[in-house]
Amino acid sequence: VVTSSAMVWLVEQGGTYLILSCLKSGVGASSFQDLLKWLLAWAADGSQSKLLLCAVTSTALQILPIFNGILLAALLGAMWGTARGLFAASFGVTTSAVLCLLISRYLVLKWLGPRAEASMPPIMAAVATAISESPSKSFTFIALFRFTPLIPFVWSNYLFGLTPIPLLPYAAATFFASLLPLFVFVSGGVAGKAVVDG
């Protein structure tokens, strides 16, 4: 699990760098600092449609493990402030988690068939067994899982699709359990912007 987590982390950081480099080139910024200034100026008018675009983009960036979620939440905080940044980050985390679960459950699970259970990491097999034995505790399992870094967030979303967890408790637990960490990351972005602004 440690080697897999390290590999996922490296892919995520490389993806983050690549996406930000492409965006930097696309807007004509000469540095990442200039890119940040451009993004802040772009969001400065407070447009609801731009906020929604950021929330949807946040979802897309979190369906594949190619962008650092902490940096994304901090960036949303810097661009939109605490409340609106938390909305965009929470929307992205929750909708991407649900989409990953559905992709895993209805595409990957059908493709893997009986091999799915055999290829599941031991911790997820234990979670699947516990959920099967007590579906009413699925909310608690997901909430607790969101507070532990045992398996990276995106991958856990796909792995939960291999379990019998009901969709609504999964979505609700993801939403509520991710609010506190997202608040911290978004607030970090707000604080960082305040320091830069002087």
Side-chain angles (χ1 to χ4, degrees):
V1 172
V2 173
T3 305
S4 298
S5 293
M7 182 60 92
V8 168
W9 184 84
L10 287 172
V11 168
E12 183 180 89
Q13 303 322 305
T16 301
Y17 179 79
L18 183 63
I19 290 168
L20 289 176
S21 293
C22 290
L23 185 58
K24 181 174 67 110
S25 295
V27 301
S30 59
S31 66
F32 288 114
Q33 185 176 13
D34 288 343
L35 173 61
L36 179 58
K37 288 177 184 175
W38 186 90
L39 289 169
L40 295 175
W42 179 81
D45 68 358
S47 162
Q48 296 288 53
S49 60
K50 289 180 181 179
L51 176 63
L52 185 57
L53 177 63
C54 284
V56 171
T57 302
S58 174
T59 299
L61 289 173
Q62 294 176 80
I63 289 175
L64 297 174
I66 56 170
F67 201 89
N68 184 298
I70 295 171
L71 178 62
L72 181 59
L75 184 57
L76 290 169
M79 290 172 68
W80 299 103
T82 305
R84 297 173 89 201
L86 183 60
F87 160 77
S90 181
F91 178 90
V93 163
T94 305
T95 54
S96 67
V98 168
L99 289 171
C100 290
L101 177 124
L102 294 173
I103 289 167
S104 180
R105 185 166 289 166
Y106 295 108
L107 295 179
V108 176
L109 195 56
K110 288 189 186 303
W111 178 67
L112 285 176
R115 297 177 304 193
E117 193 171 312
S119 63
M120 191 181 299
I123 191 164
M124 290 307 293
V127 169
T129 301
I131 290 170
S132 295
E133 292 172 0
S134 179
S136 64
K137 293 185 180 177
S138 58
F139 183 96
T140 305
F141 280 111
I142 300 303
L144 290 173
F145 217 88
R146 293 300 184 206
F147 287 117
T148 62
L150 295 175
I151 297 176
F153 194 85
V154 172
W155 290 110
S156 67
N157 293 337
Y158 285 106
L159 290 171
F160 279 123
L162 305 177
T163 71
I165 187 161
L167 183 61
L168 288 178
Y170 174 77
T174 296
F175 173 78
F176 288 112
S178 65
L179 281 177
L180 180 60
L182 286 174
F183 176 77
V184 171
F185 304 142
V186 167
S187 296
V190 172
K193 181 180 182 286
V195 168
V196 170
D197 287 347

